[in-house]
Amino acid sequence: MKSLAELQALREQMKGKVGIRHDGDSSIRVVVGMATCGIAAGARPVLAAFTEEVGKRGLTNVSVGQTGCIGICQYEPVVEVFEPGKEKVTYVKVTPGMVPTIVSQHLVNGTPVSEYTIGASGAQA
């Protein structure tokens, strides 16, 4: 990088490629718990899988991010999905292999994958 213009051009190029950070009222937010408990349980590969899957599908209405402790450490990795006008959905014990199903069924088709949610795991919400 030799100039600010190069940096700005690279930033714009990456925003176009990734397309997962989108702010707005119509956005779906996917939040992965990335406190030490989540990281120890495998949250980092789950976050990477969501980022990759959302980017691969070109879902510009979905933002993928991370947060600290969600408060249910025994169920890590934990992923929360926030959709405007709907109740939050909490997925527990998420693995990278579960991500394509969650993206396809929930983020694309609007149907939460109930067998992966906190209620299905026997936990109290």
Side-chain angles (χ1 to χ4, degrees), residues 24-73:
D25 292 335
S26 64
S27 289
I28 298 170
R29 287 189 316 125
V30 176
V31 180
V32 180
M34 291 287 288
T36 53
C37 52
I39 293 169
R44 197 174 307 276
V46 170
L47 177 64
F50 268 105
T51 302
E52 182 179 327
E53 191 70 22
V54 167
K56 183 169 53 175
R57 290 174 175 264
L59 302 177
T60 58
N61 67 323
V62 176
S63 66
V64 178
Q66 60 187 39
T67 190
C69 185
I70 293 174
I72 49 174
C73 302

Side-chain angles (χ1 to χ4, degrees), residues 46 49 77 92-100:
V46 170
V92 295
K93 299 184 179 185
V94 179
T95 65
M98 296 162 68
V99 171

Side-chain angles (χ1 to χ4, degrees), residues 42-124:
R44 197 174 307 276
V46 170
L47 177 64
F50 268 105
T51 302
E52 182 179 327
E53 191 70 22
V54 167
K56 183 169 53 175
R57 290 174 175 264
L59 302 177
T60 58
N61 67 323
V62 176
S63 66
V64 178
Q66 60 187 39
T67 190
C69 185
I70 293 174
I72 49 174
C73 302
Q74 68 271 29
Y75 297 104
E76 293 287 357
V78 175
V79 175
E80 294 182 323
V81 176
F82 298 89
E83 293 180 89
K86 295 185 178 179
E87 203 171 307
K88 155 183 89 171
V89 175
T90 302
Y91 292 104
V92 295
K93 299 184 179 185
V94 179
T95 65
M98 296 162 68
V99 171
T101 303
I102 294 169
V103 171
S104 174
Q105 289 185 24
H106 189 168
L107 305 184
V108 173
N109 294 322
T111 305
V113 186
S114 60
E115 61 266 25
Y116 297 166
T117 63
I118 194 163
S121 70
Q124 297 298 316

